[in-house]
Amino acid sequence: MTQNTEKLTVDLAIVGAGPAGLAAAVAAYDSGVRDILLLERDKEPGGILNQCIHNGFGLHVFGEELTGPEYAERFVRQAAERGIPIRLETMVLDIEPPAPREGAPFRLHILGPLFGDQTIEAKSVILAMGCRERTRGAIGIPGDRPSGVFTAGTAQRLINREGFSVGKRAVILGSGDIGLIMARRLTLEGAKVLCVVELMPYSNGLARNIAQCLNDFNVPLYLSHTVTDIKGHGRLEEVTISEVDANRVPIPGTEKTYACDTLLLSVGLIPENELTRLAGAAIDPRTGGPLVSEDRQTSIPGLFACGNVLHVHDLVDFVTGEAARAGKGAAAYLAGAGQTTAEESVSFVPGQGIGYTVPHMVERAAAPQSFTVFMRVRQPKPDGVIVMKDAEGTVIKRWKRPRLAPAEMEELTVTKQMIAGGDSYTFEVEE
């Protein structure tokens, strides 16, 4: 590997060529930006979609059911039709924010086998790095350390892209969507899925995935349970699960042991925000992603974020819509607009029963006539109501929902008129 001291200058650099980065690039181009460069660390664009061979993607964006690779291919083709370059096998190591002078660029330090060590200067940057899975070490499961313990996404890649079998008898910890989908995938590959175990008293996956991936294949789901022991020398031999109490502490005497050779972990996703922190953007401790305005601009002017690097989404269609906002926001910034400041912003606050809101703020003067605020509730609730209140506690609007669930992101339409009278608004689940 040689060092390349040549500097490449672009108007817009996008970190990540998965569904968020591709959609942001297309939206920025269609908004007038022509000098765009996508940077992708993998060998091909498309991101996580390339290993998601099941259907169910694209109903909102394309009005039809697509597999993950089909959905990704449509945006890869759109980028190619616009002549947007994608530099593959390129890792962004660091992002330096602009120096405190007029017109100073962002500096991205990149590394790859084709160009070596290089610096890219960009007038604006969109972060679209996606997220990563929590591992066994992150949740501290006790026991032996045999082979046969995988994150669900790793197992999905091994089966769907590499053509390997990961095991014959499996237990799955966590009922997030990828864990549910892998229960079905393993079954279709001839493995026996003994059970799916969920720490919480409710599932963290979409209702349709519980029906299609568990119920249709008679896979039992144990709520308020967790894995409390792993045994195996060389290869996994057995897994012990236990019921947990209201404080999520295992209850002695409730243990069940399963003879198995595979344990999949579907225990949460973490936004990939190391670069965001290096750039100095403010982070929301609730999501692990950056604080953003309605156009997905972070606390650093010219630095935008979208997709799972911002907050973990249910559907890739929602990622596409959010990425389009970021692409248009970057185009507006490059055209001389779109710089939000704290003095101009109206803030949104998650209140009782709400985990987080995105965006976190909106620029009052530049706000569109209506926009969407995304959020997740903390607890499931049938016939739920979400209320929006001003700083004095006055209810601005109520949204009724037949069902509220942490696994399903809520979308609330807020109008410019609703934020005309205050600087801060709270969203709550009504008791």
Side-chain angles (χ1 to χ4, degrees):
M1 185 79 64
T2 59
Q3 184 174 8
N4 188 341
T5 57
E6 178 188 1
K7 293 179 182 177
L8 178 64
T9 301
V10 297
D11 285 344
L12 176 61
I14 301 176
V15 186
L22 290 166
V26 169
Y29 185 95
D30 291 348
S31 299
V33 184
R34 293 295 179 266
D35 189 12
I36 303 172
L37 178 62
L38 277 157
L39 301 166
E40 171 57 49
R41 65 185 177 186
D42 210 342
K43 294 181 179 180
E44 57 188 30
I48 196 67
L49 291 178
N50 291 324
Q51 68 188 51
C52 299
I53 64 174
H54 53 281
N55 61 7
F57 302 92
L59 288 170
H60 295 268
V61 174
F62 296 111
E64 58 181 309
E65 276 197 312
L66 303 171
T67 65
E70 288 173 332
Y71 190 100
E73 191 274 335
R74 295 203 178 185
F75 278 96
V76 171
R77 187 169 66 241
Q78 288 181 28
E81 289 169 351
R82 290 160 175 78
I84 300 172
I86 304 175
R87 185 177 288 192
L88 301 173
E89 295 186 83
T90 300
M91 176 70 74
V92 179
L93 303 177
D94 187 19
I95 298 177
E96 294 181 15
R101 59 180 173 82
E102 185 70 23
F106 291 87
R107 291 168 58 87
L108 291 78
H109 302 286
I110 65 173
L111 185 66
L114 296 179
F115 300 96
D117 184 357
Q118 194 175 35
T119 298
I120 292 177
E121 293 187 346
K123 297 177 183 177
S124 181
V125 175
I126 297 177
L127 303 173
M129 295 88 70
C131 58
R132 65 176 182 268
E133 296 178 278
R134 296 176 73 202
T135 64
R136 177 183 177 180
I139 60 176
I141 302 175
D144 299 330
R145 298 179 60 84
S147 65
V149 180
F150 305 89
T151 62
T154 298
Q156 184 182 57
R157 182 182 180 97
L158 288 170
I159 295 172
N160 293 346
R161 299 201 66 187
E162 310 297 337
F164 292 107
S165 171
V166 297
K168 294 298 183 183
R169 291 174 60 84
V171 171
I172 299 176
L173 174 60
S175 64
D177 289 313
I178 188 171
L180 299 177
I181 288 166
M182 286 308 296
R184 177 178 63 185
R185 188 74 183 96
L186 285 170
T187 302
L188 293 174
E189 285 295 311
K192 174 67 175 176
V193 179
L194 303 170
C195 62
V196 174
V197 183
E198 171 57 53
L199 178 68
M200 303 301 291
Y202 52 83
S203 172
N204 282 301
L206 295 173
R208 75 182 190 192
N209 284 332
I210 295 172
Q212 296 172 4
C213 302
L214 298 188
N215 298 344
D216 287 356
F217 295 92
N218 297 315
V219 176
L221 170 63
Y222 295 117
L223 300 175
S224 297
H225 281 73
T226 192
V227 172
T228 50
D229 196 16
I230 293 174
K231 291 190 182 301
H233 300 284
R235 179 74 187 199
L236 178 65
E237 297 169 6
E238 61 181 44
V239 165
T240 299
I241 70 171
S242 301
E243 188 177 355
V244 299
D245 61 21
N247 296 316
R248 304 175 199 170
V249 176
I251 302 171
T254 62
E255 296 85 359
K256 299 177 185 177
T257 298
Y258 293 89
C260 59
D261 59 10
T262 304
L263 172 64
L264 299 192
L265 305 178
S266 177
V267 291
L269 300 169
I270 304 170
E272 288 268 19
N273 272 297
E274 285 72 21
L275 289 176
T276 313
R277 292 183 176 89
L278 287 172
I283 299 293
D284 182 350
R286 303 173 187 87
T287 62
L291 299 173
V292 294
S293 55
E294 197 278 331
D295 60 0
R296 299 320 188 250
Q297 187 169 203
T298 70
S299 59
I300 299 176
L303 183 67
F304 297 77
C306 58
N308 285 349
V309 79
L310 179 56
H311 61 126
V312 177
H313 292 65
D314 308 333
L315 302 175
V316 72
D317 303 68
F318 295 163
V319 169
T320 296
E322 183 173 81
R325 293 184 186 90
K328 293 173 183 177
Y333 174 84
L334 290 168
Q339 297 194 34
T340 301
T341 66
E343 291 75 18
E344 301 168 333
S345 294
V346 174
S347 63
F348 299 132
V349 181
Q352 175 180 278
I354 301 295
Y356 68 84
T357 65
V358 171
H360 305 85
M361 66 200 80
V362 64
E363 185 182 356
R364 194 195 311 274
Q369 290 304 312
S370 67
F371 54 92
T372 302
V373 178
F374 296 89
M375 62 191 64
R376 288 188 189 273
V377 299
R378 292 187 178 276
Q379 300 287 337
K381 186 179 179 66
D383 299 320
V385 177
I386 298 177
V387 297
M388 175 181 174
K389 298 180 179 179
D390 63 18
E392 284 71 42
T394 302
V395 174
I396 305 299
K397 186 169 182 177
R398 286 182 169 88
W399 290 268
K400 293 184 178 181
R401 294 290 188 267
R403 175 177 178 266
L404 294 173
E408 299 178 18
M409 195 158 59
E410 295 295 328
E411 304 174 74
L412 306 182
T413 299
V414 176
T415 66
K416 193 169 184 176
Q417 183 178 5
M418 292 164 61
I419 61 171
D423 296 330
S424 177
Y425 295 88
T426 300
F427 294 88
E428 299 178 355
V429 176
E430 194 170 60
E431 289 296 321

